[in-house]
Amino acid sequence: MNRLFNTKNFYLIVALLSIFTLISAVYIEYVFGAKACKLCLYQRIPYVFAIFVCFFGYSNLKNILWIYVLSLTFLSSFLLSGYHTGIENNIFAEFSGCTANNLNITNKEDLLKSLSENTPNCKDVMFRIFGLSLATINMFISALIVIISLVIIRHEKNR
């Protein structure tokens, strides 16, 4: 198998990619001011989880279980970012937690508080790279990691 895709390198690459992705998301949110919607925040969870999985997988290279866990982690990331991309492209309807229209304001203090805590709708793309939303880029990255992990699993089983 290609030296780049051995399990040791795979864990290192995925861990570094996860750290880079999380830092980039926080940087885009706080430096560029592109406020994250709820689905954007949920899409960060698999990356945090993947860092821990990579740590355990790297420390126990003989156990292929961690590659299975990693592939399931990024499969869930792929599905979540695919759903978010579908919302952005009006393929799916937003779930109620995504819209900012579900406010029940009874006094002006609640109104002021809700305006300061207002999160953007999930269908509104706040930041693009090469014309692609961050959810779309996340979907491609997650799909690539799932495919590579399945190739590694297949290779390890055939050894």
Side-chain angles (χ1 to χ4, degrees):
M1 183 187 211
N2 190 347
R3 216 168 133 75
L4 177 68
F5 293 124
N6 68 23
T7 54
K8 184 178 180 181
N9 289 344
F10 180 67
Y11 288 127
L12 284 174
I13 290 169
V14 171
L16 291 174
L17 182 67
S18 297
I19 291 168
F20 174 77
T21 301
L22 289 170
I23 291 171
S24 298
V26 171
Y27 184 81
I28 289 168
E29 182 177 358
Y30 290 104
V31 174
F32 291 141
K35 206 167 183 186
C37 69
K38 287 187 181 183
L39 281 178
C40 290
L41 296 175
Y42 294 157
Q43 288 177 76
R44 296 176 189 177
I45 295 169
Y47 286 97
V48 173
F49 186 69
I51 293 169
F52 290 107
V53 171
C54 288
F55 172 75
F56 290 120
Y58 189 81
S59 63
N60 189 5
L61 290 172
K62 301 288 184 208
N63 194 347
I64 197 168
L65 169 74
W66 298 110
I67 294 179
Y68 281 107
V69 173
L70 205 54
S71 71
L72 288 174
T73 300
F74 280 99
L75 179 63
S76 68
S77 176
F78 172 77
L79 295 173
L80 186 61
S81 58
Y83 177 64
H84 192 186
T85 302
I87 289 174
E88 291 173 346
N89 294 309
N90 294 318
I91 297 170
F92 305 121
E94 290 180 278
F95 72 99
S96 62
C98 270
T99 61
N101 301 342
N102 54 2
L103 300 174
N104 187 9
I105 307 298
T106 56
N107 60 29
K108 76 177 177 181
E109 287 83 21
D110 290 341
L111 176 64
L112 291 174
K113 183 179 175 187
S114 71
L115 288 175
S116 66
E117 296 175 357
N118 193 15
T119 58
N121 289 346
C122 294
K123 68 179 175 182
D124 298 334
V125 178
M126 302 301 273
F127 192 83
R128 292 185 186 271
I129 299 174
F130 302 118
L132 299 173
S133 71
L134 296 178
T136 305
I137 294 170
N138 183 23
M139 186 176 67
F140 290 134
I141 291 171
S142 298
L144 183 65
I145 292 173
V146 168
I147 291 168
I148 293 171
S149 64
L150 292 176
V151 168
I152 290 173
I153 289 169
R154 183 173 174 223
H155 179 265
E156 291 295 321
K157 282 189 170 186
N158 290 337
R159 261 200 319 163

